[in-house]
Amino acid sequence: MKRATFDAIQTARAGKIPIALVVNLSDGAEALVTATTVDGALSDEIVAEARARLRDSKSGVVERGGGRWFVDCHNPPLRVIVVGAVHITQTLVPMAAVAGYEVVVIDPRASFATQERFPNVQLMDDWPDEAMEALAPDRRTAVITLTHDPKLDDPALHVALRSEAFYIACLGSRRTHASRLDRLRAEGFDDDTLARIHGPAGLPIGAVSPAEIALSVLAEMTAVLHEVPPPMKSANTNTASAA
């Protein structure tokens, strides 16, 4: 690996920018690919393949048009930031950890965010916007608000919507979500930005219990991460989200 290539990868990693090193196995030529840039001579087909592999953290050999390339993915760790130390969170946290996410739970309410309820989890009792600013969501971060309280959820959304978080979701009924969007519009967010919010959170699997809702949210988050179009949400969404 060339020194300039190594330095560029280290810079990207320090900035939590996903980057792929693409090496031509026939002549050793190197190129670097991110979600928005290409440094090196690659065909559009190889760039697209490198970006797909980077998205899925899938390093490996690519064979196209008689040529062979090795794609080496360098990704920041996946993170999920959950606002609200509620019952659903207690189930979602271990599920997300098993799926490979670093988990952070934000809740300024001391009686909710306790080590007894969330052992071995990073807890932050700052106000959500302050905690979110400190955490600086990136392209490998998901943000999920679960409190049902605009005083807690909305400040977190202000930061999330201005970040590159790949998944932003909020618990609540369609009526609750419509009210949420109205508040955020009044704060200056346009419809294209608000369309990033998945609400009600989770795939429409008829979830009722906290565990089922957590499962539906993790499934939707996974679909978004891998750019798999989820099924359309029907009026019959997760039952427990209707509050």
Side-chain angles (χ1 to χ4, degrees), residues 40-182:
L42 294 173
S43 69
D44 291 344
E45 186 179 21
I46 298 301
V47 171
E49 178 67 22
R51 285 175 174 158
R53 287 178 170 270
L54 187 60
R55 179 193 66 214
D56 297 336
S57 291
K58 189 178 180 181
S59 299
V61 175
V62 176
E63 297 187 11
R64 293 287 187 278
R68 299 174 77 242
W69 292 262
F70 182 75
V71 180
D72 186 15
C73 300
H74 297 265
N75 268 320
L78 285 168
R79 290 188 301 167
V80 57
I81 302 171
V82 184
V83 180
V86 297
H87 291 309
I88 296 170
T89 312
Q90 287 181 286
T91 307
L92 178 60
V93 163
M95 287 183 181
V98 169
Y101 287 82
E102 294 181 358
V103 184
V104 182
V105 176
I106 301 170
D107 201 318
R109 301 170 297 185
S111 60
F112 284 75
T114 66
Q115 286 296 334
E116 290 73 24
R117 299 182 72 224
F118 296 93
N120 304 314
V121 175
Q122 182 181 351
L123 301 174
M124 299 184 70
D125 60 4
D126 307 275
W127 203 252
D129 55 344
E130 297 173 355
M132 289 281 292
E133 291 283 4
L135 291 168
D138 55 35
R139 290 176 182 268
R140 300 273 289 174
T141 304
V143 178
I144 305 167
T145 69
L146 300 176
T147 73
H148 284 301
D149 186 345
K151 295 192 301 296
L152 299 178
D153 288 351
D154 287 7
L157 290 172
H158 277 234
V159 180
L161 289 170
R162 293 188 174 102
S163 78
E164 295 186 320
F166 76 87
Y167 177 73
I168 303 171
C170 306
L171 197 66
S173 67
R174 290 180 178 276
R175 182 175 59 186
T176 297
H177 188 57
S179 297
R180 176 186 298 121
L181 296 180
D182 286 342

